[in-house]
Amino acid sequence: MSHYLLQVYFTPPTLPVRCYRFGRRAANAPRHGVTQLPLNGYHSAHLAEQNASPGIVGLAWEWD
């Protein structure tokens, strides 16, 4: 895949405490490349990938 964009929006007052980007080589594989992402001024977070390798890339968040 040459370009991949994933963006999530949250509505106050239910904003997550933390948001992360992660990758997985397969659905049952452990997460790797976990990086914390800040929410922007619009209460959203996004990731953009170019020339993504096979596997899974996504966002996760924690409420507390």
Side-chain angles (χ1 to χ4, degrees):
M1 175 180 309
S2 63
H3 291 79
Y4 176 73
L5 174 66
L6 175 61
Q7 186 167 15
V8 293
Y9 293 91
F10 300 95
T11 306
T14 57
L15 301 177
V17 176
R18 283 172 291 285
C19 190
Y20 301 94
R21 178 241 182 256
F22 70 91
R24 285 188 172 167
R25 300 200 194 299
N28 59 349
R31 291 180 178 179
H32 65 83
V34 178
T35 307
Q36 190 166 346
L37 299 174
L39 294 182
N40 64 23
Y42 299 102
H43 312 297
S44 72
H46 74 275
L47 65 88
E49 297 284 327
Q50 292 184 354
N51 302 319
S53 58
I56 298 168
V57 64
L59 294 174
W61 47 88
E62 298 175 355
W63 299 110
D64 55 23

